[in-house]
Amino acid sequence: MGALHLEYTVAPDDFSRAGEVSGIVKRTLKDLGFPPAVVRRTAIAMYEAEINMVIHANGGKITADITPEEIMIVFADQGPGIPDIDLAMQEGWSTASEDIRDMGFGAGMGLPNIQKSTDYMDVQTTVGVGTTITIKIFVTQ
Ligand SMILES: Nc1ncnc2c1ncn2[C@@H]1O[C@H](COP(=O)(O)OP(=O)(O)O)[C@@H](O)[C@H]1O
Ligand SMILES: [Mg+2]
């Protein structure tokens, strides 16, 4: 395969569709024959970042650049931004409302799980402007 560039829009507050893009990319990677561990790690990180866009940031855009060596995904939103990224990266820390928690989200494990399941994670965030998270998964057999 050569390089593959994919772009998706994540709808705001659409919980019925939350996780849809992650599912599509997971299926694509599987079909392309990437190792199961690479597919799984990408899917975990993508799901968490996609859910965060829905519950914290009014949706956004996801782009995926896939080569045989590396999977890079960028999540860009124009949500409220993250005031304290060190705090947000802590396990169990969440600003999710009671309603969100009742739906099964908001355990505060998303960002730490993205960190754990990727080889590279960069968060650029500005309060009142938005958040862009870049992740990379290096392909190893
Ligand atoms: N895209 C985002 N935009 C704004 N805030 C975010 C975003 N992603 C995460 N956050 C903030 O970081 C916190 C921790 O995120 P996370 O670890 O995924 O936990 P959870 O989503 O369960 O609250 C969130 O509660 C929220 O305050
Ligand atoms: Mg989360």
Side-chain angles (χ1 to χ4, degrees), residues 11-136:
D13 294 319
D14 190 346
F15 289 95
S16 64
R17 292 182 59 192
E20 201 175 82
V21 175
S22 314
I24 292 168
V25 174
K26 182 181 183 180
R27 164 62 54 192
T28 302
L29 294 175
K30 214 176 161 188
D31 291 348
L32 287 167
F34 280 95
V38 169
V39 176
R40 190 172 58 244
R41 290 167 57 214
T42 305
I44 290 168
M46 280 198 76
Y47 178 79
E48 293 294 353
E50 183 178 359
I51 294 294
N52 280 352
M53 283 182 147
V54 177
I55 66 179
H56 304 299
N58 307 311
K61 284 194 164 28
I62 299 178
T63 58
D65 284 280
I66 300 165
T67 70
E69 294 79 30
E70 179 185 290
I71 293 152
M72 178 172 82
I73 321 271
V74 179
F75 307 84
D77 69 56
Q78 298 182 313
I82 305 172
D84 186 338
I85 187 62
D86 291 336
L87 199 54
M89 288 298 299
Q90 287 181 21
E91 296 190 357
W93 195 84
S94 175
T95 59
S97 67
E98 203 60 43
D99 286 355
I100 297 288
R101 287 164 198 253
D102 287 345
M103 285 189 275
F105 304 109
M109 296 302 290
L111 292 176
N113 280 340
I114 294 169
Q115 176 94 69
K116 275 186 208 158
S117 54
T118 58
D119 295 303
Y120 172 91
M121 175 187 189
D122 174 67
V123 183
Q124 298 293 328
T125 186
T126 306
V127 172
V129 177
T131 300
T132 298
I133 298 178
T134 303
I135 60 166
K136 292 180 187 178

